[in-house]
Amino acid sequence: MSYTKFLAALVRANSGNVNKIRVSPGRCRSTVASTKNQEEKERPMDGCTVVEAAPVEIISQTKSAADTKLNKIHVDFDNTQEAYRSKGNIELLRSLITQIFQLLIIMNLLFWFQLMELTKKLFGQWMFEKMMKMTFYGQFVAGEDHNSIKPLIQKNQAFGVGAVLDYSVEEDLTQEEAEKKEMDSCVSEAEKVSRDGDHREKKYKAHRQFGDRRGGVISARTYFYADESKCDNQMETFINCIKASGGASADGFSAIKMTALGRPQFLLQFSEVLVKWRRFFNFLAAQQGKSEMMVLEQKLELEQLKESLTKMGVGAKDDIENWFTGEKLGFSGTIDLLDWNSLINDTTTISNLLMVPNLETRKLEPLLNTFTAEEERQMKRMLQRVDVLAKHAVENGVRLMVDAEQTYFQPAISRLTLEMQRIFNREKPIIFNTYQCYLKEAYDNVTVDIELSRREGWYFGAKLVRGAYMYQERDRAKEIGYEDPINPDYEATNRMYHKCLEYVLEEIEHNRKANVMVATHNEDTVKYTLEKMNEMGLSPTENKVYFGQLLGMCDQISFPLGQAGFPVYKYVPYGPVNEVIPYLSRRAQENRGFMKGSQRERSLLWKELKRRVLGGQIFYKPVY
């Protein structure tokens, strides 16, 4: 694909220089997720009765689930013998010790860092690395490079658990260094030398007090921009990870982060443009009395829309007529959010895309008045790197997980991921987007993206997580002064997660073209998913619903699922000992909200260790 064609596909952002709206032929089903009422859909999660795994029939993708008799799926998450069958006694003991140490570290993080430094001084680097591999590193990291991780990946596969490879090396920066890098890379040259950015929204501007994006973030890697050469190196690292994943298994995943691939200034600015155009659509919907409707039910009357835009002076009358010209548009006489998002600009000058409606001046205006030639090149290089990674994923038979990031970057990240899905998910799901369900807008985002996949006929791929940036996001919103994007409490997040999950499962039930990874350590959510799969007749052998947990955590969930025939994956970090210390230090701090589940895991580990000792299995080693 030529770069011009790729760019045109990737940057279908709304702009003032649009020619027409493309409307795709039809919709696969109603945009309403279910005929169930809202009270039923948001009922509290129920634990299902669990017994030993029972066999299931394979459902053909061309056959309706309603026509297929499916045995109920049951998994016993209390059966420690099955849960830890892949682990030798030394591994069990290490897991138990690590769990106990995590409690101590959470209580005194400073002690953890002092202990690490003391170990290096007393015993030297070699002994330090040896001790780390016997404890935290060995528990949470698979190995130092893509060759050393193969034995663990192969062992897990033998027990039904796949891998999402994640190279977890981070730059070890001081807070001051991180803040400087962030401000340098998120502020344009125009903003540095003038008041060009004064009309920018404060949420989508860089703020020094939140420049260190590692603050309050526990389970996510963080990248800071240095230069284009470093981004190229990080792209090569991701390529090696993709190749390693393809070589390790036939159905692996690899994880990437957009902030590793380019200057984040573009993500901030593009996010603001997308949000302002969506807000403008909401404004026009309110003018037509449709603001209270579900997001995809807001269908604007076309003639009334043209009249409003003409009165506002957003464009000349002839221009507005040309914008809304399309083969299918005349039949419906309406335009919805997806039609609105399909406004096309055929230019390859990215700065021309960053146009936003100003309701005060009633004109389309550039987000910034000037862009340097180098800023243009930086933006294009980010898109090119994304394209390279997607093509490598296709060539190596690997599915690509695009991680979610902060809400001020996320609209752009999601849009770019969506454009990759439109290109690469035509025959099967290759690109997976990540939805953080602690966000108030998570359900709207899931439903809008699924509807687009229906209309255009490509495979929707999603990873559902609760989210990694809650404390940081809340603090930033409060300090800077914009609406908190996070759900009010944990129960609201649970309801949002289950609501999004049920919607995707129903999409799978209807046309089998959606795929979802239920990425959670919450046992109740896993049980809820199994219950819904039973109700809908979704077989685990169809490979439409996956489960994901972090390496070294929640084996009592992962391995019983894998041995019962479910596609389940561990997020597998790897990298040199010294270079994954930043990751490990945060892994050791796993948030207090997880400690209840951690207590259950310690109890099960201790139960299995006692069972083996009392049963004479003192030297137990897994056979595979």
Side-chain angles (χ1 to χ4, degrees):
M1 178 184 293
S2 71
Y3 174 68
T4 302
K5 289 182 180 178
F6 167 63
L7 182 64
L10 255 168
V11 291
R12 296 181 186 197
N14 307 300
S15 74
N17 300 320
V18 292
N19 297 318
K20 63 180 181 176
I21 289 181
R22 295 197 310 181
V23 180
S24 46
R27 294 147 173 81
C28 297
R29 68 179 177 94
S30 168
T31 57
V32 179
S34 173
T35 56
K36 299 176 183 178
N37 62 44
Q38 194 70 13
E39 183 179 350
E40 284 181 319
K41 290 183 70 177
E42 296 192 359
R43 66 183 182 277
M45 54 184 134
D46 299 319
C48 59
T49 305
V50 288
V51 295
E52 291 194 2
V56 294
E57 288 184 19
I58 296 178
I59 301 178
S60 168
Q61 291 191 24
T62 59
K63 191 174 182 181
S64 167
D67 300 328
T68 306
K69 186 175 180 180
L70 182 70
N71 293 326
K72 291 286 184 181
I73 306 163
H74 299 286
V75 179
D76 184 359
F77 296 113
D78 292 310
N79 187 332
T80 60
Q81 186 172 356
E82 287 299 311
Y84 301 116
R85 194 157 59 91
S86 66
K87 291 188 177 297
N89 288 350
I90 297 297
E91 291 175 290
L92 273 187
L93 191 59
R94 182 184 66 192
S95 298
L96 190 56
I97 291 171
T98 304
Q99 289 274 347
I100 294 168
F101 263 100
Q102 274 197 113
L103 283 174
L104 298 174
I105 289 164
I106 288 172
M107 288 185 256
N108 192 340
L109 183 60
L110 179 61
F111 171 74
W112 160 244
F113 288 114
Q114 290 173 338
L115 182 62
M116 287 197 298
E117 289 302 317
L118 182 62
T119 304
K120 281 185 184 179
K121 289 178 181 178
L122 291 178
F123 302 106
Q125 181 65 30
W126 182 86
M127 182 58 71
F128 168 73
E129 291 187 10
K130 195 78 173 173
M131 291 174 67
M132 288 296 291
K133 289 179 180 180
M134 291 171 61
T135 53
F136 282 98
Y137 182 93
Q139 180 70 10
F140 297 120
V141 183
E144 300 203 48
D145 54 41
H146 61 271
N147 286 319
S148 63
I149 67 177
K150 286 181 180 178
L152 184 139
I153 291 174
Q154 290 167 357
K155 183 177 82 166
N156 284 354
Q157 283 180 331
F159 293 94
V161 176
V164 181
L165 295 193
D166 186 11
Y167 191 68
S168 296
V169 168
E170 289 184 13
E171 196 174 2
D172 193 8
L173 301 172
T174 66
Q175 181 176 336
E176 185 179 355
E177 289 170 335
E179 289 173 355
K180 185 179 186 306
K181 282 180 178 287
E182 187 75 350
M183 297 307 293
D184 288 345
S185 62
C186 287
V187 180
S188 69
E189 291 303 316
E191 290 176 284
K192 290 176 183 177
V193 300
S194 72
R195 299 175 62 86
D196 197 32
D198 283 357
H199 65 287
R200 296 278 310 280
E201 287 199 17
K202 48 193 172 185
K203 178 176 180 178
Y204 299 100
K205 292 177 69 175
H207 299 269
R208 183 171 291 277
Q209 66 266 45
F210 292 97
D212 187 352
R213 288 182 275 113
R214 299 168 300 183
V217 178
I218 294 172
S219 55
R221 288 164 298 123
T222 304
Y223 291 93
F224 293 94
Y225 180 83
D227 51 41
E228 292 299 295
S229 175
K230 184 176 179 182
C231 292
D232 286 336
N233 290 338
Q234 287 167 169
M235 180 187 70
E236 289 299 323
T237 297
F238 287 145
I239 290 173
N240 290 335
C241 193
I242 289 168
K243 290 179 178 178
S245 184
S249 67
D251 59 351
F253 285 91
S254 190
I256 67 169
K257 266 188 180 308
M258 288 285 188
T259 49
L261 299 174
R263 184 170 176 169
Q265 171 197 338
F266 173 53
L267 296 177
L268 276 177
Q269 293 166 343
F270 193 26
S271 291
E272 184 172 353
V273 168
L274 294 170
V275 167
K276 284 185 173 178
W277 273 98
R278 174 118 171 217
R279 194 178 299 152
F280 188 38
F281 179 86
N282 294 339
F283 169 79
L284 296 169
Q287 281 193 331
Q288 295 192 16
K290 299 181 179 181
S291 58
E292 298 302 317
M293 293 181 176
M294 296 280 287
V295 62
L296 284 174
E297 292 175 355
Q298 294 175 339
K299 301 183 188 298
L300 307 187
E301 300 298 327
L302 189 55
E303 292 307 316
Q304 190 176 341
L305 174 61
K306 290 178 182 178
E307 185 179 335
S308 295
L309 293 175
T310 302
K311 285 181 179 178
M312 292 172 63
V314 170
K317 187 173 182 180
D318 289 344
D319 289 336
I320 293 170
E321 283 290 338
N322 290 332
W323 293 350
F324 301 111
T325 299
E327 293 179 5
K328 302 292 181 181
L329 203 58
F331 296 115
S332 66
T334 62
I335 172 174
D336 67 9
L337 181 62
L338 288 178
D339 301 328
W340 181 260
N341 285 342
S342 296
L343 296 171
I344 295 174
N345 187 338
D346 58 6
T347 182
T348 58
T349 305
I350 297 178
S351 58
N352 288 347
L353 295 167
L354 302 180
M355 301 286 291
V356 293
N358 186 326
L359 295 182
E360 293 180 4
T361 63
R362 300 198 169 191
K363 293 180 181 178
L364 289 172
E365 299 176 349
L367 194 66
L368 294 171
N369 290 327
T370 58
F371 280 79
T372 67
E374 178 56 24
E375 285 173 337
E376 290 279 354
R377 287 191 290 270
Q378 288 167 351
M379 293 175 186
K380 289 181 180 180
R381 288 190 200 115
M382 175 183 275
L383 303 180
Q384 289 170 325
R385 291 181 189 110
V386 170
D387 186 46
V388 167
L389 292 175
K391 287 175 178 174
H392 274 282
V394 171
E395 291 169 6
N396 288 274
V398 173
R399 289 163 290 186
L400 210 57
M401 290 277 192
V402 181
D403 285 344
E405 303 192 47
Q406 287 87 350
T407 54
Y408 43 91
F409 293 139
Q410 193 56 43
I413 292 170
S414 289
R415 183 60 179 261
L416 296 176
T417 305
L418 191 70
E419 297 301 342
M420 284 199 292
Q421 289 180 316
R422 298 171 91 170
I423 297 169
F424 297 102
N425 284 14
R426 289 291 169 181
E427 297 180 2
K428 59 183 179 179
I430 297 291
I431 310 298
F432 280 65
N433 198 5
T434 301
Y435 298 86
Q436 300 192 100
C437 294
Y438 65 16
L439 296 178
K440 295 173 183 175
E441 62 180 21
Y443 182 73
D444 283 348
N445 292 338
V446 169
T447 56
V448 167
D449 291 353
I450 284 181
E451 175 65 13
L452 182 64
S453 73
R454 291 181 199 137
R455 294 186 188 186
E456 298 183 345
W458 43 268
Y459 285 79
F460 176 79
K463 179 177 72 171
L464 297 183
V465 299
R466 279 174 170 78
Y469 305 96
M470 182 177 73
Y471 299 113
Q472 183 188 103
E473 293 273 16
R474 281 219 164 108
D475 289 346
R476 190 177 190 269
K478 182 178 179 181
E479 180 72 21
I480 295 173
Y482 56 86
E483 183 185 352
D484 185 351
I486 309 295
N487 286 317
D489 54 41
Y490 186 74
E491 285 308 311
T493 294
N494 272 347
R495 290 193 297 272
M496 179 65 78
Y497 193 106
H498 291 187
K499 187 177 180 182
C500 293
L501 174 59
E502 185 175 350
Y503 192 87
V504 181
L505 290 176
E506 289 184 354
E507 180 66 11
I508 296 171
E509 181 187 19
H510 278 79
N511 67 19
R512 294 309 203 264
K513 292 194 78 170
N515 284 237
V516 63
M517 175 172 279
V518 184
T520 181
H521 296 130
N522 187 306
E523 193 172 307
D524 289 329
T525 294
V526 173
K527 291 176 180 178
Y528 178 86
T529 307
L530 300 184
E531 182 183 339
K532 289 297 173 186
M533 290 179 71
N534 279 331
E535 290 176 7
M536 297 175 182
L538 300 178
S539 166
T541 53
E542 286 189 81
N543 288 331
K544 301 292 184 184
V545 182
Y546 317 105
F547 295 88
Q549 289 85 39
L550 289 166
L551 182 71
M553 299 175 69
C554 292
D555 287 346
Q556 79 277 9
I557 292 176
S558 308
F559 285 90
L561 283 171
Q563 290 166 48
F566 288 88
V568 59
Y569 295 83
K570 287 288 194 183
Y571 249 69
V572 177
Y574 68 100
V577 175
N578 276 338
E579 296 180 47
V580 297
I581 289 295
Y583 170 85
L584 281 174
S585 63
R586 290 205 305 277
R587 180 81 282 126
Q589 296 176 64
E590 190 63 60
N591 63 69
R592 294 179 185 273
F594 182 70
M595 292 317 293
K596 182 179 177 182
S598 182
Q599 184 178 354
R600 169 168 163 74
E601 190 168 358
R602 286 195 302 276
S603 174
L604 292 174
L605 285 165
W606 181 241
K607 176 183 174 183
E608 176 59 14
L609 202 55
K610 284 195 298 183
R611 187 196 68 78
R612 289 184 186 178
V613 172
L614 295 175
Q617 295 180 300
I618 298 175
F619 302 104
Y620 173 83
K621 288 186 179 180
V623 178
Y624 58 96

